[in-house]
Amino acid sequence: AGVDPYTHYQQHGKSEGRLSRMPDIPGIENISDHNPARETVLVILHEASRTGAPILGYNLAHALLEEYNVITICIGPGPIIETLQLAGSITIGPIPYSNHVIGHVITEINNRITIKFAIVNSIVSSLSLKPLALQFIPTVILIHEFASYTLPHGIISDAVLWAGSTIFSSSLIKSDACEHCPDLNELDLLVIPQGRSRLPPETLSAHLVEERLDDYITELRPSSFPSDGIVVLGLGSVQFRKGVDLFLSCAALVKRRAPELPIRFAWIGKGYDPLKD
């Protein structure tokens, strides 16, 4: 269009959340390290922390490795990246949470290897569904989240429509999705209980996090706080679906009812570094 690309990015692209350049993608150089006698599948995780959905993703990848080459895309960082690599998965990530980057990664993979199917684990990973569909890769999305607290509204409906198949982990989660997205009532959606997941083996990076948390104790219980006082600890992302509102409501109620009680409510909020917030 005859417009200077840098000027266009400054005036439009940056505010649209676009990237000035494609970032380096850790692990993408290992795509070719697979067994050509086996079919290849994708498992996509929104992060690689030792928490609920990523642990399920590790279990899925570990089980699939018995029959397939497994490529795992971890959008966010965490110790499970190292664990997946040790288990035999070709693991890519962390990568920026961006449609453009994830689309680029999926295209790069599909240009080099035929993908039999992809499992998209959790609604937070659903931004990968459109790029997968555009590459004609069959997909299954596993939905563990309630529509009532998942933002933006309508994301679950969009995910179900882009996915090849949808599996809810419980009837309650499915009924909540259908209540908030009535168009889903017309679809035949599966409910398969998740079952028990085994914890991934701890790696060096996981131990380092635990050691740093030990160092953080003085922040949770400062020297000025009574030794017999009670610390109520909250952990996890500081977002509505993690129950932060209930944590704050409980703290306010205790403060009103028992103002003299030596009790301290503390939250370690998880961004990409559990000790920064």
Side-chain angles (χ1 to χ4, degrees), residues 237-252:
S237 302
V238 183
Q239 54 181 264
F240 181 74
R241 71 188 186 92
K242 297 296 185 180
V244 179
D245 57 324
L246 300 177
F247 186 84
L248 294 173
S249 298
C250 182

Side-chain angles (χ1 to χ4, degrees), residues 20-133:
S20 56
R21 68 174 184 85
M22 192 57 62
D24 295 331
I25 308 298
I28 201 165
E29 68 280 1
N30 299 322
I31 291 175
S32 300
D33 297 342
H34 65 285
N35 182 350
R38 284 186 162 197
E39 295 178 306
T40 302
V41 300
L42 276 178
V43 176
I44 301 179
L45 311 181
H46 74 283
E47 62 176 48
S49 61
R50 284 173 59 86
T51 57
I55 289 177
L56 172 63
Y58 163 80
N59 278 260
L60 291 169
H62 196 274
L64 289 166
L65 280 165
E66 295 180 5
E67 184 176 348
Y68 300 99
N69 300 311
V70 176
I71 299 176
T72 309
I73 300 175
C74 297
I75 299 172
I80 285 182
I81 289 179
E82 185 180 352
T83 310
L84 284 164
Q85 291 169 339
L86 292 173
S89 167
I90 299 170
T91 307
I92 298 171
I95 62 178
Y97 192 82
S98 159
N99 290 313
H100 309 293
V101 177
I102 292 176
H104 167 73
V105 171
I106 290 170
T107 300
E108 284 292 304
I109 294 172
N110 199 46
N111 285 342
R112 303 186 205 182
I113 305 174
T114 300
I115 303 299
K116 185 176 180 64
F117 62 85
I119 295 178
V120 179
N121 183 41
S122 89
I123 201 68
V124 190
S125 307
S126 64
L127 77 169
S128 63
L129 286 168
K130 183 177 179 179
L132 288 165

Side-chain angles (χ1 to χ4, degrees), residues 11-27:
Q11 294 178 347
H12 303 286
K14 190 173 183 179
S15 62
E16 294 171 358
R18 298 182 182 274
L19 300 172
S20 56
R21 68 174 184 85
M22 192 57 62
D24 295 331
I25 308 298

